Amino acid sequence: MPKQSLSEAQAVAARRENKPLPMVPFATGNSKGTLGWYNGFSPSQRMRVLRAMNLSMASGVLSPAQGPCDLCSDPAAPVFYHSEDYSEPLRWEPPAAYCLCQLCHLRRVHMRFAWPLVWRVHLGHVRRGGYGSDLKSPEIRHQLVRYRRGLETGVVSELPSLRPYALTIGREWFAALSMDPRSRVLGIAIDQGVVDGGPVVTGDASSCNQLRRNAGALIVGMAAYRLMKPEV
């Protein structure tokens, strides 16, 4: 996959000034936010893909995302495309892209690095047949709060089943998502041993060191995300 790295000067400045990596504003559907690094792809790369997606849908080349949500299986929630792979040629089907509801997409998949416990709670909810829209129910939210406290204390009680769950637990596409914040910049490189001094699979030693510097700047920026309040 082609990658775009920050310059060394940008990475060093980010570390020294305790600043997060650059992010690009975006709007999709009814949601607004910022695009940061993800799976080794830079904000500008991701923005180009988002614009290409919008143009393709506007021209009728690409159909709008269709439910149910590929994470929580909610058949009624509006869904949007989520890309795991931003390389060209662009693809809009698994494993490159998935159709996710707003909660699963923006508040769970993309926030899992800052809120790892919330991510674990969400997986527990999904695997009992739960939909993202179920969180509108106060009782469901209370159940998830209790479940989260159990995860924190190590005394976990099973969540009551809501609906049949058709997938094999642990074999879902989202079960394989990295929880290492460095993967946002490094992508697959982190699984190749590059970060921890392993062999350089692609590129030279200079590019490998650049990846490490970018990852360091990213981790500094994670503090800002952790200040945001999760739903449960």
Side-chain angles (χ1 to χ4, degrees):
M1 300 178 188
K3 303 289 188 294
Q4 175 178 324
S5 297
L6 292 174
S7 69
E8 180 176 351
Q10 284 178 300
V12 171
R15 290 203 311 278
R16 287 178 177 173
E17 300 175 24
N18 287 340
K19 290 183 178 180
L21 294 179
M23 303 183 80
V24 177
F26 79 96
T28 180
N30 295 322
S31 301
K32 295 181 179 180
T34 53
L35 290 177
W37 285 79
Y38 189 72
N39 270 359
F41 297 95
S42 71
S44 58
Q45 285 177 301
R46 296 180 64 205
M47 178 55 72
R48 285 197 294 272
V49 171
L50 180 60
R51 288 171 178 161
M53 178 192 72
N54 289 335
L55 287 173
S56 296
M57 287 197 292
S59 63
V61 174
L62 176 65
S63 299
Q66 300 292 319
C69 173
D70 282 329
L71 203 163
C72 74
S73 301
D74 191 331
V79 293
F80 307 90
Y81 286 110
H82 161 72
S83 292
E84 284 289 313
D85 184 351
Y86 291 83
S87 61
E88 297 182 358
L90 300 179
R91 300 173 300 282
W92 304 105
E93 66 280 332
Y98 298 89
C99 298
L100 303 181
C101 69
Q102 183 170 319
L103 175 74
C104 289
H105 185 198
L106 300 180
R107 306 290 286 181
R108 294 300 182 262
V109 170
H110 282 296
M111 295 302 294
R112 69 185 189 271
F113 305 106
W115 302 336
L117 194 58
V118 172
W119 175 247
R120 289 178 60 192
V121 170
H122 191 59
L123 295 190
H125 175 61
V126 167
R127 287 165 174 166
R128 61 145 169 189
Y131 297 159
S133 58
D134 290 334
L135 270 70
K136 297 175 183 178
S137 164
E139 175 56 29
I140 295 296
R141 292 172 68 90
H142 289 323
Q143 291 176 3
L144 296 183
V145 168
R146 290 194 296 269
Y147 185 67
R148 174 176 177 170
R149 289 172 181 165
L151 291 176
E152 292 173 329
T153 61
V155 183
V156 184
S157 57
E158 289 191 12
L159 288 165
S161 176
L162 294 178
R163 303 172 187 91
Y165 188 62
L167 303 181
T168 301
I169 293 177
R171 299 292 297 275
E172 311 100 331
W173 68 270
F174 47 84
L177 294 179
S178 175
M179 294 300 295
D180 191 325
R182 296 173 299 176
S183 70
R184 295 179 66 192
V185 168
L186 300 170
I188 62 170
I190 198 166
D191 297 322
Q192 303 285 357
V194 173
V195 181
D196 299 317
V200 179
V201 179
T202 58
D204 55 20
S206 176
S207 61
C208 176
N209 290 333
Q210 183 65 59
L211 286 174
R212 292 194 186 98
R213 286 190 289 269
N214 289 348
L218 173 69
I219 293 172
V220 168
M222 288 299 295
Y225 281 103
R226 294 193 178 98
L227 294 177
M228 299 174 64
K229 184 179 179 181
E231 291 87 351
V232 293

